């Protein structure tokens, strides 16, 4: 009895000590801390490599299987350290674009903060490592870690969810069933299940144990197959012809904000060129047009010159245009706003971005952050968040606005669809981040959202990559980076709500309860073990 109690208290698997050749071989490989840490970092790098622009989505389960092997049989403290190292290996290359134009300090600070949450996830996974069905508990704890990253600190940073690397993946239909939490859970369960299946197969287990281990891999695969009928791009409400404008910027980097008039002129001129192409028969007449975020950083309500430039372009194209602008009220915070501009009535409706990017559009702890980087003063005046979803009536099409950073947040996208959007527009500005992989990561995120809510997604970006995405996640048109262009496409309009749209956060809450249940079982076991001792 003393042996089993000691193993349980030390977070070692309280199981038979019979030889396990394969698992023992891996144990010897990771016997020293440097070797274990190196394997955890490698697992993080593998997960990074599964993300766009590489079509290597299938690497994600193997990355988590390797992480599971590193965490197997470790104490909680070691689990935290290995999870932290895994997070560094994953996020340092994934988020390197955050250093563009401002140097390495913000990048390293963000990655370190996020990696600490991965450390907590690793700690939790080691705690449930003694429970039967450990792959299920571990996968639920992975979702708990993603849920925490999506909410804290400073409102959360969901970038890098497992789901967002699966735009080309086999599991993608699960997004329509239970949103990004279910999609992430399926990938995690497959990965942790792969390790359990390998470990039990190498140790020649009982048939029941082997079958249960195999089931953890088969279950997400079967669920993905069953969810495929939910993915459709049928035109339930007819079709519309939409145009996406990419005007380009004179140069990349943070200084593009000093080129505000040039950026506005670029988008106006590209719209005028599209109007000429329509008149000459080289392009179809669109029903509506969408410009990117920050396409007019000059407030057209305060600056008559900017108003006239926009109005002339909208009148020439002759259809409603959604304009991305920065509004500067006399008092209070700035507003990152989409403006619905009618060719006859002028500006008629607005949508204020609700998810404001910390350390980009607002500066928390300004005086403290200034100690580490003077770039804090680039944000001279904070932006304030809007409160309501934005759905514009654009020539009979209900177009929902989800501005750039908001696409990473489940609730921001879902609330827009629930407000009646038949198509989603994600106007974005990636010029700050140059030619980095950021724009491809965001495009993959938009593709997942298209399947999750069964809506066409229009992605106008100041400098690229702009795209038209059908409700099945297929990119039918896209631009090159830093190239002025216009995309015109006939798109299906849909109003059916997927199970993911109707259920909202409920799948995530259910998985959080599973994670809490696993930790509760561990606590109960430890209390009983101490009483027995």
């Amino acid at each position: 009895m003393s042996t089993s109690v000691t193993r349980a208290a030390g977070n070692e698997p309280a199981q038979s000590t019979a030889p396990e050749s394969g698992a023992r071989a891996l144990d010897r490989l990771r016997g020293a801390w440097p070797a274990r840490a190196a394997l955890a970092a490698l697992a993080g790098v593998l997960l990074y490599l599964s993300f766009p622009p590489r079509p290597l989505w299938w690497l994600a389960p193997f990355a988590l299987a390797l992480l599971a092997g590193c965490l197997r049989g470790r104490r909680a403290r070691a689990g935290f350290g290995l999870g932290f190292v895994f997070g560094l290996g994953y996020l340092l290359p994934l988020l390197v674009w955050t250093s563009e134009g401002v140097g390495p300090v913000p990048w390293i600070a963000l990655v370190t903060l996020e990696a600490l949450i991965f450390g907590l996830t690793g700690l939790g996974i080691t705690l449930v490592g003694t429970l039967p069905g450990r792959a299920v508990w571990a996968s639920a704890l992975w979702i708990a870690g993603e849920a925490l990253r999506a909410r804290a600190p400073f409102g959360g940073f969901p970038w890098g969810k497992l789901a967002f690397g699966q735009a080309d993946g086999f599991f993608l239909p699960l997004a329509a069933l239970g949103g990004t939490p279910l999609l992430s859970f399926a990938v995690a369960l497959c990965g942790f299940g792969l390790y359990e299946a390998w470990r039990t197969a190498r140790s020649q287990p009982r048939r029941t144990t082997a079958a249960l281990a195999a089931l953890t891999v088969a279950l997400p695969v079967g669920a993905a197959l069953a969810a495929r009928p939910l993915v459709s791009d049928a035109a339930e409400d007819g079709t519309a012809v939409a145009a996406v404008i990419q005007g380009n910027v004179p140069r990349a980097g943070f200084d593009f904000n000093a080129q505000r008039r040039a950026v506005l002129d670029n988008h106006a001129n590209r719209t005028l060129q599209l109007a000429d192409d329509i008149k000459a028969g080289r392009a179809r007449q669109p029903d509506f047009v969408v410009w990117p975020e920050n396409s007019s950083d000059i407030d057209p309500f305060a600056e008559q010159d900017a108003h006239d430039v926009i109005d002339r372009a909208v009148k020439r194209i002759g259809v409603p245009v959604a304009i991305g602008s920065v509004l500067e009220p006399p008092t209070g915070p700035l507003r990152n706003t989409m403006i619905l501009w009618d060719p006859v009535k002028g500006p008629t409706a607005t949508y204020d971005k609700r998810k404001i990017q910390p350390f980009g559009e607002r500066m928390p702890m300004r005086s403290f952050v200034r100690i580490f980087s003077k770039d804090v003063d680039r944000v001279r005046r904070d932006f304030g968040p809007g409160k309501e979803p934005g759905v514009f009536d654009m020539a009979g099409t209900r177009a929902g606005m989800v501005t750039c950073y908001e696409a990473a947040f489940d609730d921001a996208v879902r609330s827009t669809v629930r407000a009646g959007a038949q198509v989603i527009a994600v106007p974005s500005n990636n010029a700050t981040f140059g030619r980095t992989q950021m724009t491809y990561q965001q495009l993959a995120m938009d593709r997942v959202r298209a399947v999750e809510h069964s809506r066409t997604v229009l992605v106008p970006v100041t400098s690229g990559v702009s795209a038209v995405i059908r409700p099945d996640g297929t990119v039918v048109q896209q631009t090159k980076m830093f190239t002025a262009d216009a995309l015109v496409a006939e798109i299906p309009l849909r109003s059916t709500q997927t199970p993911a749209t109707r259920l909202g956060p409920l799948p995530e809450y259910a998985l959080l309860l599973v994670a809490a249940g696993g930790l509760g079982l561990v606590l109960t076991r430890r209390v009983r073990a101490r009483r027995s001792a």
Side-chain angles (χ1 to χ4, degrees):
M1 181 191 76
S2 61
T3 300
S4 62
V5 171
T6 302
R7 285 176 174 269
N11 199 41
E12 297 288 343
Q15 298 172 346
S16 169
T17 57
E20 296 182 1
S21 58
R24 291 290 179 88
L26 182 58
D27 281 342
R28 285 195 298 272
L29 178 60
R30 38 188 187 93
W33 168 254
R36 294 197 303 270
L39 284 173
L42 175 61
V45 172
L46 284 178
L47 185 56
Y48 157 70
L49 292 174
S50 74
F51 271 68
R54 294 160 296 277
L56 303 177
W57 59 270
W58 47 269
L59 280 177
F62 292 100
L64 294 190
L66 181 56
L67 175 64
C70 293
L71 296 175
R72 172 69 175 160
R74 302 301 159 191
R75 296 178 181 272
R77 182 172 58 185
F80 178 86
L82 292 170
F84 178 75
V85 171
F86 171 87
L88 292 178
Y90 172 41
L91 296 177
L92 279 171
L94 185 79
L95 302 180
V96 67
W97 49 266
T98 59
S99 66
E100 192 78 8
V102 295
V105 173
W107 165 48
I108 293 174
L110 173 62
V111 167
T112 302
L113 192 60
E114 295 289 304
L116 288 172
I117 299 179
F118 278 96
L120 292 175
T121 303
L123 184 153
I125 291 173
T126 57
L127 288 176
V128 299
T130 59
L131 299 177
R134 60 183 63 87
V136 176
W137 305 115
S139 301
L141 281 163
W142 183 276
I143 300 307
E146 288 196 341
L148 178 59
R149 290 202 307 117
R151 293 166 174 82
F154 310 115
F157 186 73
W159 212 278
K161 275 187 174 184
L162 273 181
F164 295 149
Q166 297 295 306
D168 291 305
F170 174 82
F171 299 105
L172 181 60
L174 288 170
L177 182 60
T180 59
L182 183 62
L183 178 52
S184 288
F185 178 77
V187 178
L189 183 59
C190 186
F192 292 131
L194 277 173
Y195 171 72
E196 289 301 318
W198 174 83
R199 188 184 66 83
T200 53
R202 295 283 292 182
S203 59
Q204 298 179 349
R206 294 172 299 180
R207 291 181 180 180
T208 302
T209 307
L212 289 174
L215 182 62
T216 58
V217 179
L219 184 62
V221 172
L225 287 172
R228 287 187 176 276
L230 296 174
V231 181
S232 172
D233 63 352
E236 295 176 328
D237 303 328
T239 64
V241 179
V244 168
I245 299 296
Q246 177 174 302
N248 200 17
V249 298
R251 61 183 180 274
F254 275 89
D255 289 339
F256 85 91
N257 284 315
Q259 314 162 44
R260 297 184 301 169
R261 179 52 193 267
V263 174
L264 171 57
D265 287 344
N266 284 354
H267 286 84
N269 290 337
R270 192 59 189 84
T271 304
L272 294 172
Q273 181 182 337
L274 176 60
D276 292 340
D277 290 341
I278 293 167
K279 186 175 181 180
R282 293 188 295 269
R284 295 184 64 177
Q285 172 68 51
D287 296 308
F288 63 92
V289 179
V290 187
W291 284 15
E293 176 191 32
N294 300 127
S295 47
S296 175
D297 272 352
I298 305 174
D299 185 346
F301 296 111
E303 301 289 340
Q304 186 62 41
D305 186 49
H307 179 285
D308 293 344
V309 168
I310 295 171
D311 198 55
R312 180 165 61 94
V314 175
K315 279 181 165 58
R316 179 80 69 85
I317 200 70
V319 296
V321 182
I323 308 291
S325 185
V326 172
L327 304 188
E328 302 184 30
T331 60
L334 301 172
R335 298 286 174 176
N336 188 332
T337 300
M338 294 300 297
I339 306 171
L340 176 59
W341 207 290
D342 186 85
V344 176
K345 301 176 182 178
T348 59
T350 60
Y351 165 67
D352 292 336
K353 185 178 182 180
R354 290 172 288 163
K355 300 289 186 181
I356 302 300
Q357 183 181 355
F359 305 103
E361 294 171 309
R362 64 183 177 91
M363 192 58 62
M365 307 186 303
R366 184 181 291 269
S367 58
F368 175 75
V369 175
R370 189 180 290 111
I371 298 173
F372 303 96
S373 175
K374 296 188 182 300
D375 287 313
V376 65
D377 294 320
R378 290 180 183 271
V379 183
R380 295 188 178 91
R381 184 176 174 187
D382 287 349
F383 284 80
K387 297 180 179 179
E388 300 295 331
V391 180
F392 292 162
D393 185 346
M394 303 187 75
T397 296
R398 293 183 59 78
M401 301 292 122
V402 179
T403 307
C404 195
Y405 181 62
E406 294 183 312
F409 292 85
D410 294 345
D411 59 332
V413 184
R414 175 179 179 261
S415 62
T416 303
V417 177
R418 295 278 288 180
Q422 297 170 298
V423 57
I424 300 170
V426 187
S428 305
N429 175 22
N430 297 339
T432 298
F433 305 109
R435 297 183 180 275
T436 65
Q437 296 178 8
M438 181 269 186
T439 191
Y440 298 104
Q441 294 171 11
Q442 189 176 50
L443 182 62
M445 188 186 304
D446 297 332
R447 293 177 61 193
V448 172
R449 296 303 187 191
V451 173
E452 181 180 16
H453 299 290
S454 196
R455 295 291 187 273
T456 296
V457 177
L458 305 173
V459 189
V461 186
T462 51
S463 57
V465 173
S466 299
V468 177
I469 306 168
R470 292 182 72 86
D472 62 359
T474 303
V475 177
V476 292
Q477 291 188 44
Q478 71 178 61
T479 67
K480 296 179 180 179
M481 296 183 71
F482 293 97
T483 303
D485 207 345
L487 306 177
V488 181
E490 184 174 3
I491 60 173
L493 304 178
R494 294 179 59 83
S495 56
T496 293
Q497 294 187 2
T498 64
T501 308
R502 293 194 295 269
L503 292 172
L506 293 181
E508 183 179 60
Y509 293 162
L511 292 170
L512 293 178
L513 287 175
V514 173
L519 295 176
L521 285 174
V522 172
L523 178 61
T524 301
R525 278 187 166 195
R526 291 194 170 192
V527 169
R528 289 176 178 174
R530 288 177 181 176
R531 287 177 178 175
S532 299

